[in-house]
């Protein structure tokens, strides 16, 4: 299969920010904060070729943190083009130390490492980086080294008790360094600091908006596709839904979507997909009922990785079969989003591997000749939702909670049968109904639980119903709150809500006599059980 063409310029047209990744666990958060400021940016490995970075026509650079010391053997260095460009630079943690080290300053191990909260005192009240902010700011530190001697022309603009040089600048060259992490939620004013760098230092306007993205994407798809035919795998998730809608808006009946109903979606979702995209959006949709095929392939399989492998392989075979039946296609539209791209590329992290291939369509064969159309390739999930809203998709599609590709198969621990699927589907629907009624399912505006679902356990327990002894299934309920899904905390749901959900599940779902609630956070647990 032909690979997507490399991205070579700033799609916003008003100037991008190039973020160079030196291996920080927070690098994606920097990019998200810049995008939230409606400024286009890309996260690039620190060793990305200069011509690729400069093709973005950046208006400034941000250097991420990282696990190294600038004196480590093999530690990532600062590319020459960054300072040669004369553009504004913001170095964060390791990025700040790298900037100082390259310009003649001295970096050394701190007498006391600093991990966690600190109080920042702004010492330069004229610095554009802290414009409009209080003089004392809570910040989040995570470093072992610190700057002991500033390079020529730099001055201290903020400090903490343990870091006399917690922020520095060279105003004439528009170079700035922060020892703390403005991108994390533990730095409450971090977003304003980043915006000050973007707006006041780089002079980039906030024009990266959903409406502008839709307009530019439609034009780009038309140019790429021409009079060709496009095929799209539609799952009902927000990524594939927004992809299909963008392509349909661009080329209309040149698009054909394939929806494979494998029997492992939530209650009512297959009907919702067909209604939304075929009837309401007017798309050409081939709906494939393949439940029996999947159940036969999954018979007696309990291992979660084997389930995923079987489901992914079965999808590929069905998709190939339907594609051949429907005719000849020139392009494959795929809902790849920016985190998929970053993970696949490794993004400069030491030891990173390419771990996702054709993420959204289950690993399509390499001998397919279709060219990829990936309009969401440089969007984060929250941006995809905003674009979906701009396109007029219904909230139940746009704000659909994350749902694993194998569906309910990974929320049934043990063997998959139609009876067990129906049991879990009914229990999950009741839990979600109660959360919705209580306003605790995250919708537009970001309030409520970020992910919530039921899990069917591979154990039975003794119970009593009426005068009869029962021996039936156990259902676990799971609800979490999170901003980025990298970490998550279990949701403190009201006891009355849990009581109602438990009572309804036991009374309305045959074969269940016990309900438990998962109070594990991530880490150490994962959000999903398998």
């Amino acid at each position: 299969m032909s690979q997507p063409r490399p991205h070579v310029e700033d799609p916003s047209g008003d100037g991008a920010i190039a973020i160079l990744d030196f291996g920080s666990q927070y690098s994606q958060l920097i990019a998200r904060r810049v995008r939230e400021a409606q400024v286009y940016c890309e996260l690039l490995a620190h060793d990305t070729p200069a011509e690729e970075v400069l093709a973005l026509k950046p208006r400034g650079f941000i250097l991420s943190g990282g696990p190294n010391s600038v004196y480590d053997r093999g530690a990532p260095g600062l590319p020459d083009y960054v300072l040669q460009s004369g553009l504004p630079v913001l170095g964060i943690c390791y990025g700040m130390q790298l900037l100082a080290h390259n310009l003649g300053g001295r970096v050394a191990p701190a007498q006391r490492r600093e991990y966690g909260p600190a109080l920042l005192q702004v010492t330069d009240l004229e610095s554009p980086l802290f414009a409009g902010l209080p003089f004392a700011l809570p910040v989040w530190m995570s470093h072992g080294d610190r700057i002991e001697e500033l390079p020529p022309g730099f001055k201290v603009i903020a400090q903490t008790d343990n870091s006399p040089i917690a922020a520095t600048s060279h105003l004439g060259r528009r170079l700035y360094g922060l020892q703390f992490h403005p991108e994390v939620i533990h730095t409450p004013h971090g977003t304003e600091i980043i915006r000050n760098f973007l707006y006041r230092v780089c002079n980039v306007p906030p024009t990266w908006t959903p409406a502008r993205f839709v307009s530019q994407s439609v034009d780009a798809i038309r140019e790429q596709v021409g009079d060709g035919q496009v095929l799209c795998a539609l799952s009902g998730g927000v990524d594939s839904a927004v992809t299909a809608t963008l392509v349909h808006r661009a080329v209309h009946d040149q698009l054909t979507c394939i929806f494979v109903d494998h029997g492992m979606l939530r209650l009512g979702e297959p009907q919702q997909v067909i209604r939304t995209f075929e009837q309401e959006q007017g798309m050409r949709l081939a709906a494939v009922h393949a439940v029996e095929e999947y159940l036969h392939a999954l018979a007696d399989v309990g291992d979660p990785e084997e389930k995923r492998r079987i489901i992914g392989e079965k999808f590929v075979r069905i998709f190939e079969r339907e594609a051949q039946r429907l005719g000849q296609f020139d392009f494959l539209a795929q809902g790849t989003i920016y985190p998929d791209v970053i993970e696949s590329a490794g993004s400069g992290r030491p030891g990173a591997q390419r771990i996702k291939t054709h993420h959204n369509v289950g690993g399509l064969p390499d001998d397919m000749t279709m060219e990829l159309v990936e309009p969401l390739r440089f969007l984060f999930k929250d941006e995809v939702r905003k674009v979906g809203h701009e396109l007029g998709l219904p909230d139940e599609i746009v704000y659909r909670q994350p749902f694993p590709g194998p569906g309910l198969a990974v929320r049934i621990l043990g063997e998959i049968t139609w009876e067990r699927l129906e049991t879990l589907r009914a229990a999950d629907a009741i839990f979600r109904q109660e959360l919705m009624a209580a306003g605790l399912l995250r919708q537009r505006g970001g309030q409520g639980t970020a992910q919530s679902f039921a899990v069917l356990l591979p154990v039975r327990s003794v119970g009593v119903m009426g005068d009869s002894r029962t021996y039936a299934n156990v259902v676990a309920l799971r609800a979490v709150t999170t901003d980025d899904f990298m970490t998550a905390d279990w949701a403190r749901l009201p006891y009355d809500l849990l009581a109602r959900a438990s009572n309804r599940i036991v009374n309305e779902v045959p074969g269940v006599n016990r309900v438990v609630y998962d109070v594990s956070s991530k880490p150490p647990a994962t959000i999903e059980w398998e």
Side-chain angles (χ1 to χ4, degrees):
M1 179 183 296
S2 62
Q3 295 302 305
R5 293 173 293 182
H7 190 65
V8 294
E9 62 180 10
D10 159 34
S12 75
D14 290 313
I17 298 297
I19 303 169
L20 300 188
D21 183 9
F22 292 92
S24 171
Q25 61 181 320
Y26 303 131
S27 294
Q28 282 198 43
L29 288 179
I30 301 173
R32 288 188 61 176
R33 299 297 175 254
V34 174
R35 295 284 188 86
E36 287 166 3
Q38 296 185 334
V39 171
Y40 186 76
C41 68
E42 286 189 23
L43 179 62
L44 302 155
H46 63 86
D47 57 356
T48 300
E51 59 271 18
E52 185 176 336
V53 178
L54 296 176
L56 275 173
K57 300 178 182 176
R59 297 272 288 273
F61 295 95
I62 297 180
L63 314 178
S64 84
N68 295 95
S69 165
V70 294
Y71 297 112
D72 287 346
R73 181 177 299 220
L78 183 65
D80 292 340
Y81 64 80
V82 172
L83 293 176
Q84 290 172 358
S85 71
L87 295 169
V89 180
L90 174 64
I92 297 173
C93 202
Y94 178 79
M96 169 187 178
Q97 295 160 14
L98 197 59
L99 198 60
H101 178 65
N102 273 261
L103 290 169
R106 186 167 62 87
V107 179
Q111 292 183 353
R112 181 167 63 89
R113 295 188 174 194
E114 201 169 13
Y115 299 98
L119 186 65
L120 185 80
Q121 298 288 340
V122 177
T123 56
D124 181 0
L125 305 184
E126 302 300 319
S127 172
L129 216 56
F130 299 111
L133 299 180
F135 303 145
L137 307 170
V139 298
W140 186 260
M141 291 284 191
S142 180
H143 68 97
D145 290 355
R146 71 180 190 184
I147 297 175
E148 295 289 342
E149 183 179 329
L150 285 172
F154 280 76
K155 68 175 181 178
V156 177
I157 58 175
Q159 61 187 26
T160 69
D161 288 343
N162 190 53
S163 294
I165 307 176
T168 181
S169 74
H170 189 301
L171 190 60
R173 297 183 64 180
R174 298 181 297 173
L175 305 178
Y176 294 84
L178 302 175
Q179 187 61 77
F180 58 91
H181 288 274
E183 68 272 25
V184 301
I185 60 174
H186 308 293
T187 301
H189 292 282
T191 296
E192 290 98 316
I193 294 171
I194 291 173
R195 291 187 179 201
N196 279 340
F197 176 71
L198 301 174
Y199 302 155
R200 295 173 181 270
V201 179
C202 299
N203 296 312
V204 181
T207 55
W208 177 244
T209 63
R212 187 164 188 175
F213 174 82
V214 168
S215 175
Q216 292 173 334
S217 295
V218 166
D219 290 343
I221 292 166
R222 284 176 181 157
E223 180 180 356
Q224 181 183 3
V225 170
D227 59 359
Q229 293 294 311
V230 187
L231 189 64
C232 179
L234 187 61
S235 69
V238 64
D239 299 337
S240 67
V242 173
T243 296
T245 306
L246 269 174
V247 175
H248 185 252
R249 180 168 291 191
V251 297
H252 306 293
D253 288 345
Q254 293 169 241
L255 170 71
T256 300
C257 295
I258 295 177
F259 167 60
V260 179
D261 179 7
H262 50 34
M264 283 161 276
L265 295 176
R266 290 171 287 202
L267 186 67
E269 285 186 336
Q271 297 84 354
Q272 181 193 51
V273 170
I274 294 170
R275 182 180 65 251
T276 299
F277 296 99
E278 185 176 57
Q279 299 174 15
E280 297 175 7
Q281 298 292 324
M283 294 184 192
R284 182 179 294 160
L285 177 66
V288 184
H289 181 82
V291 177
E292 290 77 11
E293 287 188 61
Y294 277 92
L295 288 176
H296 178 75
L298 291 166
D300 301 320
V301 177
D303 179 74
E305 288 308 309
E306 184 66 6
K307 288 181 195 174
R308 290 177 185 272
R309 186 194 67 77
I310 290 171
I311 290 169
E313 183 178 305
K314 178 62 66 176
F315 174 84
V316 171
R317 301 285 81 83
I318 293 172
F319 190 86
E320 280 184 314
R321 185 180 70 207
E322 287 300 307
Q324 290 173 1
R325 183 184 67 83
L326 290 167
Q328 183 68 38
F329 293 93
D330 309 291
F331 298 89
L332 177 68
Q334 194 167 267
T336 306
I337 63 173
Y338 200 29
D340 301 333
V341 176
I342 294 170
E343 258 185 272
S344 296
S347 193
R349 289 174 180 78
Q353 299 177 358
R354 296 177 182 269
I355 62 173
K356 291 188 180 181
T357 302
H358 305 311
H359 169 76
N360 287 283
V361 291
L364 294 174
D366 289 333
D367 59 0
M368 292 186 73
T369 57
M370 291 181 284
E371 181 180 332
L372 289 178
V373 178
E374 295 181 308
L376 310 183
R377 185 176 175 80
F378 291 93
L379 294 190
F380 287 103
K381 179 73 80 172
D382 55 331
E383 294 176 304
V384 174
R385 296 190 193 282
K386 291 173 183 176
V387 169
H389 178 64
E390 179 70 27
L391 289 166
L393 286 170
D395 281 5
E396 56 264 30
I397 294 287
V398 173
Y399 299 99
R400 181 185 192 235
Q401 288 194 350
F403 191 58
L408 297 180
V410 295
R411 294 178 180 174
I412 293 177
L413 277 60
E415 182 186 3
I416 306 294
T417 65
W418 182 250
E419 180 184 15
R420 299 193 80 204
L421 278 166
E422 288 289 87
T423 296
L424 179 58
R425 211 179 333 262
D428 182 78
I430 289 170
F431 184 38
R432 290 169 56 79
Q433 286 164 11
E434 291 298 331
L435 288 167
M436 178 70 79
L440 292 174
L441 266 185
R442 181 177 288 185
Q443 297 294 321
R444 194 184 309 170
Q447 300 301 311
T449 56
Q451 197 165 348
S452 42
F453 53 90
V455 180
L456 185 61
L457 304 186
V459 295
R460 294 176 180 266
S461 73
V462 174
V464 177
M465 290 186 177
D467 295 324
S468 302
R469 179 185 174 92
T470 62
Y471 189 58
N473 292 299
V474 179
V475 166
L477 303 181
R478 176 74 156 146
V480 300
T481 58
T482 179
D483 288 321
D484 53 24
F485 291 91
M486 295 165 62
T487 62
D489 196 11
W490 63 276
R492 273 63 169 176
L493 298 179
Y495 292 152
D496 288 348
L497 184 152
L498 291 171
R500 284 194 304 274
S502 174
N503 184 61
R504 284 191 60 194
I505 290 170
V506 169
N507 281 283
E508 298 176 29
V509 182
V512 177
N513 68 357
R514 190 179 300 271
V515 176
V516 297
Y517 186 56
D518 183 349
V519 293
S520 308
S521 296
K522 176 189 178 182
T526 54
I527 295 177
E528 297 284 350
W529 278 47
E530 285 197 343

